[in-house]
Amino acid sequence: MRNNRLAKWLISGPPLLYLLLFFAIPSAIMAFAAFRFPGDYGGLLPLMDVNPDTGKTELLINAANFREFLTLENFARFFQEPVFFELFIKSFWYAGLTTVICLVLAYPLAWLIARSPKKHRDLLVLLVILPFWSNFLIRVYSWMIILGPQGYFARSINAVLGVIGVGPVQLLFSHFAVILVLVYVHLPFMVLPLYANLEKHDMNLLDAAQDLGANAWQRFWRITWPLSLPGVWAGAALVFIPALGMFAVPDLVGGTDGIMIGNLIKQQFLDSRDWPFGSVLSIMLTLAVLMLAGLATLIGRGGKRNAL
Amino acid sequence: MALLEIRDVVKTFGDFTAVNHVSLSVEAGEFFTLLGPSGCGKTTLLRMLAGFEQPDSGQILLDGKNVAGVPPEKRPVHTVFQSYALFPHMTVAQNIAFPLKMARVPQADIKARVDEVLDDVRLTQFATRFPHELSGGQRQRVAIARALVNRPRLLLLDEPLSALDAKLREEMQIELINLQKEVGITFVYVTHDQGEALALSHRIAVMNKGQVAQLDVPETIYSYPNSRFVADFIGQCNLLDATVVAIDDGKMKLEIEGVGIAEALPVAGAAVGARGTLTLRPEKIKLGASLPAGDDHEVHFKGKVHDCLFLGDVTIYIVELDNGTLVETMLPNAASGRARFFDDNDQVELAWRFDAGHFVLA
């Protein structure tokens, strides 16, 4: 027994320590920063300083003056100015749309890979993850060239549109470009969990369903789809959450109109040097995602075990 | 008109002929079994009845109508799969309601019919369980209930009991017989277990290499196999190579290789000089330290016990005849307090009546 427990700690200890140092503690620091004031030259207003007389580090904050150091104003600002809320909604919309498009594209692909002969599957999965072998930024930059006004793609689209008397349209620096590239970047994260799920499905179940009178659509909708839901949820989480916080893609292909919440957070930390407000935005984003995940779990749990 | 008629059906996969010119018919209300070793084509035939495979040539008629090209979901035929294939995300009741929903039965009727069939298979209190919360036997019953609830014209059962342990299998056999009587639906049952086939079926088609080797009622299949293959496949059997040496009124003389002359019932087509096999069931052979002679109808041989297999209710004795041939025989351990009558190397005598065995031509 004792050895067993020791082994458990030895195995789970290092990752736990890692998460504590680089996730839990930084998150706590950030949460605390949300209640503080920005420093004069960026960063945070210090809570302790070196006393020039004694040369010792002293705490500046005390019971009498804590209001000069801690505040709820950063949160108040978030709730008072609708522009932040609107950006939240827009980012959720972008991430949601990206997730749905990824799902629609990835499901048939994952299904085909899972149904292909066993000897081909590994190769097909390799092809799905092949884009990861080149740098993320290079892949996004190549989209800038494809979508740019001089690119063949944009020129042919506009040529076609010109024939029917529409356009020209700008593809780069648009909502369209942001969604397109977000889908491109995240698609493998949807394909892989879906494939892992669909590959395990028992084909006898589909035979049984067909035998009992289910047509192709009913076999999908009543058997394959419900059984693939764990894969769908995993893929949706792997796409939605990173897409929601993405700042590089809107930065590069979104133009002024295409920014997302991630860009705003980056701005607060790097450009405006308002760490406390950046922290507020981060915390609100995290809370929103957690609430969404909780909601999804509740919905997933409901409706089971009814008799018919 | 037979409910199901299979006419000269052929099915090949590449250069392997799975079903080779099979013709047979099944009457309404019959418990019909396709019996054979793995690879004999019985499962392929079943899949063609269900609609998952199409015959290369020949016809399958259900109620007199050719079902070629009718997909499985449109056939009034349901299958109980070997793996049960219960839907893991549905409760027992939902599983059973599935075919009714597909057939667009009104919701109110669904409830009543699910309850009824749950009662038939004694699973009423398990309606809200999921398949993974059931035992093997219960899953089996759910699979049968699900396939029966829509009252198909034909129920196909693909080795449905093979995943159960021996004791449970026997219980399920009795349940299956009763259920079939009760619902009156025609069963086509596929198995490689000859005991199961004999116990359950009204008629059996023994299949070998894609063809029907023999089709008859269980008693005839067992007592009068028409080939060495059938005799060997069904139950335990001594297979003694023999040649016909004489035929006279009602009896036939055989020269059994390495044993001697024995009499047997004449069979159609056997002429003097014909070679074949005398099939002799172990339980039809008498065994004793010495057996009284005098019955003209009996043939006697001497030998010694080569091996004993104690099976509890009976003991199998393998007797080596004087010339080295091994013959399997058995004695019921009916005497109280005595489990075994002979030991290895005991001198014994064998005897059987002329009509105990059955001669099949090679």
Side-chain angles (χ1 to χ4, degrees):
Chain A
M1 274 323 274
R2 209 201 211 140
N3 270 337
N4 211 338
R5 191 178 279 178
L6 183 69
K8 273 184 194 159
W9 276 109
L10 280 176
I11 291 165
S12 57
L16 275 179
L17 189 68
Y18 183 90
L19 282 175
L20 183 73
L21 284 177
F22 300 112
F23 176 72
I25 294 177
S27 295
I29 291 174
M30 194 188 69
F32 184 49
F35 295 94
R36 291 168 63 182
F37 288 98
D40 293 339
Y41 307 102
L44 299 165
L45 187 68
L47 295 181
M48 51 185 81
D49 204 355
V50 180
N51 188 324
D53 299 335
T54 60
K56 281 183 183 166
T57 303
E58 288 176 3
L59 211 56
L60 300 176
I61 183 172
N62 56 46
N65 71 355
F66 73 94
R67 281 174 200 285
E68 292 166 31
F69 292 94
L70 296 177
T71 177
L72 288 172
E73 234 170 76
N74 302 311
F75 285 95
R77 185 177 160 204
F78 176 79
F79 286 108
Q80 275 157 8
E81 294 180 40
V83 60
F84 301 123
F85 187 69
E86 279 159 21
L87 193 60
F88 255 70
I89 296 293
K90 183 181 158 198
S91 302
F92 271 83
W93 165 243
Y94 274 16
L97 194 61
T98 301
T99 308
V100 170
I101 295 173
C102 277
L103 179 63
V104 169
L105 293 177
Y107 205 105
L109 178 61
W111 191 87
L112 278 177
I113 298 175
R115 290 297 148 266
S116 58
K118 213 165 190 132
K119 55 181 177 180
H120 295 160
R121 283 187 215 159
D122 287 344
L123 179 69
L124 292 169
V125 170
L126 186 73
L127 289 176
V128 169
I129 58 171
L130 201 62
F132 291 138
W133 291 6
S134 64
N135 180 279
F136 169 77
L137 283 176
I138 291 175
R139 283 183 285 139
V140 178
Y141 267 108
S142 55
W143 273 108
M144 294 178 73
I145 296 168
I146 295 168
L147 296 173
Q150 300 307 313
Y152 283 110
F153 181 68
R155 272 159 57 189
S156 14
I157 291 242
N158 278 322
V160 172
L161 288 177
V163 172
I164 55 168
V166 190
V169 293
Q170 188 186 343
L171 296 179
L172 190 58
F173 306 130
S174 65
H175 300 277
F176 167 76
V178 177
I179 300 288
L180 179 74
V181 177
L182 281 179
V183 167
Y184 163 76
V185 166
H186 292 104
L187 192 59
F189 295 105
M190 185 64 92
V191 175
L192 294 178
L194 277 177
Y195 163 73
N197 174 287
L198 289 170
E199 198 242 343
K200 285 183 300 198
H201 283 206
D202 177 4
M203 286 299 98
N204 281 324
L205 296 182
L206 292 181
D207 274 358
Q210 186 175 16
D211 185 75
L212 296 168
N215 61 32
W217 165 250
Q218 289 166 323
R219 295 199 291 275
F220 171 75
W221 183 240
R222 291 184 176 271
I223 310 297
T224 306
W225 173 255
L227 288 175
S228 68
L229 281 179
V232 171
W233 285 119
L238 285 179
V239 171
F240 184 82
I241 293 170
L244 189 62
M246 181 64 79
F247 63 87
V249 170
D251 241 10
L252 293 172
V253 303
T256 46
D257 201 25
I259 69 160
M260 294 172 69
I261 190 70
N263 301 83
L264 185 65
I265 294 173
K266 192 196 103 187
Q267 261 174 30
Q268 296 304 314
F269 277 98
L270 299 184
D271 305 334
S272 311
R273 297 185 168 253
D274 191 346
W275 287 21
F277 192 59
S279 301
V280 167
L281 291 172
S282 299
I283 289 170
M284 296 315 289
L285 186 63
T286 308
L287 284 180
V289 170
L290 285 178
M291 272 158 56
L292 208 68
L295 203 68
T297 315
L298 280 181
I299 293 170
R301 256 190 223 154
K304 277 194 179 170
R305 206 182 275 280
N306 33 2
L308 282 176
Chain B
M1 184 181 64
L3 173 75
L4 170 73
E5 208 177 324
I6 297 172
R7 286 189 190 157
D8 203 27
V9 163
V10 176
K11 178 72 187 177
T12 55
F13 297 104
D15 51 7
F16 174 71
T17 306
V19 175
N20 193 2
H21 297 286
V22 166
S23 297
L24 55 89
S25 60
V26 177
E27 299 297 325
E30 202 173 3
F31 196 128
F32 189 90
T33 297
L34 296 169
L35 171 67
S38 59
C40 74
K42 57 191 192 302
T43 297
T44 305
L45 194 57
L46 199 77
R47 285 180 66 82
M48 285 193 279
L49 297 183
F52 291 113
E53 307 282 355
Q54 295 295 329
D56 295 340
S57 69
Q59 291 167 331
I60 295 170
L61 290 90
L62 193 63
D63 282 320
K65 285 190 286 283
N66 192 341
V67 292
V70 180
E73 64 265 35
K74 297 248 168 70
R75 294 188 184 196
V77 174
H78 288 174
T79 308
V80 176
F81 290 84
Q82 189 169 8
S83 61
Y84 313 149
L86 299 181
F87 306 129
H89 58 301
M90 298 184 195
T91 60
V92 167
Q94 286 168 332
N95 262 285
I96 296 173
F98 186 85
L100 298 173
K101 279 185 184 157
M102 296 301 105
R104 302 194 184 285
V105 173
Q107 190 65 38
D109 297 354
I110 290 183
K111 173 105 181 71
R113 285 170 69 176
V114 168
D115 284 349
E116 190 186 335
V117 75
L118 274 173
D119 188 50
D120 282 346
V121 295
R122 300 182 289 109
L123 283 174
T124 305
Q125 69 271 40
F126 297 99
T128 55
R129 294 267 188 102
F130 282 98
H132 66 88
E133 299 167 322
L134 300 177
S135 72
Q138 289 165 342
R139 278 181 220 174
Q140 173 64 74
R141 297 214 295 271
V142 176
I144 292 170
R146 187 179 67 173
L148 276 177
V149 69
N150 216 7
R151 308 203 62 82
R153 295 290 291 149
L154 200 60
L155 185 74
L156 309 177
L157 301 103
D158 185 8
E159 311 237 0
L161 306 184
S162 60
L164 304 177
D165 59 68
K167 197 149 180 107
L168 197 55
R169 203 179 307 155
E170 207 164 301
E171 280 175 37
M172 283 302 299
Q173 285 177 9
I174 293 164
E175 258 183 61
L176 267 179
I177 294 173
N178 290 333
L179 194 66
Q180 201 261 344
K181 266 188 219 154
E182 213 171 290
V183 296
I185 288 172
T186 312
F187 280 25
V188 174
Y189 192 97
V190 157
T191 184
H192 67 267
D193 181 330
Q194 40 91 18
E196 209 168 281
L198 293 173
L200 293 173
S201 322
H202 295 140
R203 284 194 304 153
I204 299 173
V206 184
M207 291 189 67
N208 186 28
K209 294 179 183 161
Q211 290 176 312
V212 175
Q214 189 172 6
L215 196 166
D216 221 315
V217 298
E219 295 80 0
T220 308
I221 297 249
Y222 185 80
S223 304
Y224 304 101
N226 68 356
S227 64
R228 200 185 155 103
F229 168 79
V230 174
D232 194 24
F233 189 72
I234 309 281
Q236 288 300 316
C237 201
N238 293 296
L239 300 170
L240 305 169
D241 292 325
T243 311
V244 180
V245 290
I247 302 178
D248 48 41
D249 54 328
K251 279 191 191 176
M252 185 164 79
K253 270 205 168 62
L254 301 174
E255 160 92 56
I256 300 174
E257 261 168 48
V259 178
I261 300 288
E263 284 177 327
L265 280 173
V267 291
V272 173
R275 294 182 52 76
T277 305
L278 180 68
T279 65
L280 197 56
R281 300 285 178 194
E283 72 273 16
K284 301 205 171 172
I285 303 175
K286 288 187 194 169
L287 174 69
S290 69
L291 294 168
D295 186 343
D296 285 349
H297 297 304
E298 267 183 9
V299 54
H300 288 245
F301 295 103
K302 285 198 190 310
K304 65 172 193 213
V305 175
H306 187 266
D307 268 312
C308 300
L309 286 168
F310 175 66
L311 300 184
D313 51 350
V314 297
T315 302
I316 308 265
Y317 297 94
I318 303 192
V319 177
E320 186 178 354
L321 300 185
D322 291 343
N323 45 38
T325 307
L326 295 178
V327 174
E328 187 178 326
T329 175
M330 64 164 67
L331 285 177
N333 296 320
S336 44
R338 188 108 180 253
R340 203 183 247 219
F341 295 92
F342 303 106
D343 275 318
D344 288 4
N345 297 320
D346 280 0
Q347 290 296 321
V348 289
E349 195 170 343
L350 291 179
W352 65 82
R353 267 176 66 91
F354 75 101
D355 55 357
H358 178 65
F359 182 72
V360 294
L361 290 163

